[in-house]
Amino acid sequence: MTGLRGKTAIVGTAESDLGLVSPDMTIADLMGQATHRALEDCGLKLFDIDGVFVAASQSRMVGLMLCEYLGLRPRYLDSTQVGGSSFMAHVRHAQAAIESGMCEVALIAYGSTQRSVSRAVASSREPLPYEDPYRPMMPPSAYAMAASRHMYQYGTTREQLAEIAVAARKWALLNPKAWEKEPLSIEDVINARMVSYPFTVRDCCLVTDGGGAVIMTTAERAKDLKHKPAFILGAGETTTHQSISNMPDFTVSGAVESGRQAYTAAGLGATDVDVAVLYDAFTICTLMFLEDLGFCKKGEGGSFVENGGIAPGGRLPVNTNGGGLSYCHPGMYGLLVLIEAARQIHGVCGKRQIENANVTLAHGNGGVFSSQCTVLLGSENTL
């Protein structure tokens, strides 16, 4: 998609309540709460919204539900559902809708009560005919297969994977909203309860309630609102498979293609990125996305993250909110990835704020490395 660079921007962001929410809160409550907070964040009103983009696993017709809950009758409604990367796809679709005049102010929203009602209830498991006979623990076993292959093929070590969880925890300790509050060491990760080899529980994302909302609009309208706009410089999306046994290559994800599309649209490369926020459902996700998005060569992700490479003070700030491993992971985590990338441009991240963050990358992952979507955001200096 060309010609859209800098023409739209994220102007408002908000999380709903996170962690373990109040009893009887619904996903509509969480999305509605986040929507009102995001509108307050940017200075727009509910009646300004004329485009709604939403995905969830706990509602068959979540778009209709959210619009009714908020009293909206949008000109444009999109409920694309490709798992945790849905919200980066929504950004790309909202770009097109705003530019073509189908809407002017877009709401992107998500909510989940998976910790309150259990993950099994919040996201029902679909049959996997090629995998179920082997009785895998899904999704950890699927990602564990990719990690094992990466370790075999490139010599990646358990300690290097553990470095990713440790870095996420160090960032989380700078985020007042993070779920995990205790320091974490490499030994803590390796010696934790085994889930599916090579993953212990500390290689796996949290299981929390939560949600969020993002407000997008035209670049022209964005200039009159509260924050410095986080302009959409480029976006890309791709799908490669559904079940892990059909993944073309266990060590290469579709992020190669979604990243290529985003970089091309933005006219930028990985070396231009000041902050990377990557969907870290498991430690292997961060490592593979660093490679596939061009931050290091294939097979060198392990050495890239060693010695605090992506921790505070490292060579590249990654997952500055603490990520899905230590901050929050309400099922489809991608909207919270997007929120952190925008906030780093807005300059509102407090102790974890990266100085002179002009280009940030938000990368979403859906299914089991199945759907990949990448968004590049930039400050006014990048236009």
Side-chain angles (χ1 to χ4, degrees), residues 100-186:
S100 64
M102 290 191 285
C103 65
E104 183 174 334
V105 176
L107 163 68
I108 305 174
Y110 173 67
S112 168
T113 56
Q114 68 162 9
R115 189 174 183 89
S116 296
V117 302
S118 85
R119 191 176 183 282
V121 172
S123 182
S124 58
R125 192 176 181 283
E126 297 180 0
L128 299 168
Y130 303 114
E131 298 162 13
D132 282 349
Y134 301 96
R135 304 178 67 182
M137 180 182 182
M138 289 298 190
S141 294
Y143 286 93
M145 287 176 63
S148 295
R149 180 67 192 179
H150 203 284
M151 294 169 73
Y152 169 77
Q153 193 161 332
Y154 297 109
T156 303
T157 67
R158 279 294 295 119
E159 288 76 12
Q160 290 169 335
L161 291 173
E163 282 260 14
I164 294 166
V166 171
R169 184 64 58 87
K170 289 181 177 178
W171 284 113
L173 296 178
L174 303 177
N175 182 357
K177 294 183 179 178
W179 176 262
E180 292 288 355
K181 302 294 186 185
E182 299 296 326
L184 186 71
S185 68
I186 291 175

Side-chain angles (χ1 to χ4, degrees), residues 19 114-116 118-119 179 204-209 324 328-331:
Q114 68 162 9
R115 189 174 183 89
S116 296
S118 85
R119 191 176 183 282
W179 176 262
C204 306
C205 64
L206 306 172
V207 178
T208 68
D209 299 331
C328 179
H329 198 295

Side-chain angles (χ1 to χ4, degrees), residues 4 75-76 93-103:
L4 299 181
R75 291 194 288 147
Y76 191 89
H93 302 176
Q95 268 189 307
I98 292 171
E99 180 62 14
S100 64
M102 290 191 285
C103 65

Side-chain angles (χ1 to χ4, degrees), residues 56 105 122 138 165 170 219 224 236 241 270 274 281 342 363:
V105 176
M138 289 298 190
K170 289 181 177 178
D224 297 326
H241 59 280
D274 299 311
H363 182 74

